[in-house]
Amino acid sequence: CRGMPTWTPLATLEVSLVMADERAPMRGYCWIPLSRHAVELHELTPGEAAAYMRDLQRVGRAVQAITGAVKLNWEVHGNTVPHLHTHLFPRYRGDPLEGRPIAPKSITEAVYGPGEFEWFAGELRARLATAS
């Protein structure tokens, strides 16, 4: 079993954070919580909503460039943890969930080899520091 993630903050963006962990269910998986407390998208001002979308686009663009994912699946949540956040699941040909919906708890094997998460985290930090 992979154990429980510790969620390393990788970047602070315009209105959100980027969190990831080597025990993620997919290579390149991140979750992006809003920096301030809100539970629903409609609680954001129009400016915050636009900024949050810009943050999601920045993360998605960087993750796809780094991982070569063929598709990015997004899930907006806030029910189990009552705080607005978005999960980003990069998808790959031949991934364990190919042709099926996301079921992160069904992934029990490590998705990163030795040093791969550290490399991914460094690449993502660098791309987010320079991208807009």
Side-chain angles (χ1 to χ4, degrees):
C1 182
R2 295 182 331 234
M4 291 300 295
T6 54
W7 303 119
T8 303
L10 298 182
T12 300
L13 301 177
E14 194 174 348
V15 294
S16 65
L17 302 172
V18 180
M19 310 291 282
D21 185 84
E22 66 183 322
R23 291 166 284 188
M26 311 291 282
R27 286 182 303 104
Y29 167 85
C30 301
W31 67 281
I32 303 100
L34 187 70
S35 294
R36 78 162 179 90
H37 180 67
V39 178
E40 302 295 344
L41 281 169
H42 66 263
E43 295 174 13
L44 278 58
T45 66
E48 284 177 312
Y52 190 56
M53 183 57 68
R54 284 190 299 272
D55 286 354
L56 296 177
Q57 288 179 314
R58 283 180 66 191
V59 175
R61 196 175 298 114
V63 167
Q64 193 163 42
I66 294 165
T67 65
V70 297
K71 176 69 176 107
L72 301 176
N73 288 160
W74 301 88
E75 294 183 2
V76 178
H77 286 250
N79 50 325
T80 305
V81 176
H83 186 94
L84 180 62
H85 61 283
T86 303
H87 297 268
L88 170 56
F89 294 94
R91 302 301 301 267
Y92 308 95
R93 290 197 196 320
D95 75 37
L97 301 173
E98 187 173 29
R100 299 182 308 176
I102 295 295
K105 292 181 181 176
S106 70
I107 306 297
T108 57
E109 299 297 318
V111 297
Y112 291 107
E116 286 180 335
F117 176 74
E118 292 78 8
W119 176 84
F120 166 74
E123 285 291 311
L124 187 58
R125 282 185 182 110
R127 286 177 184 265
L128 292 175
T130 59
S132 59

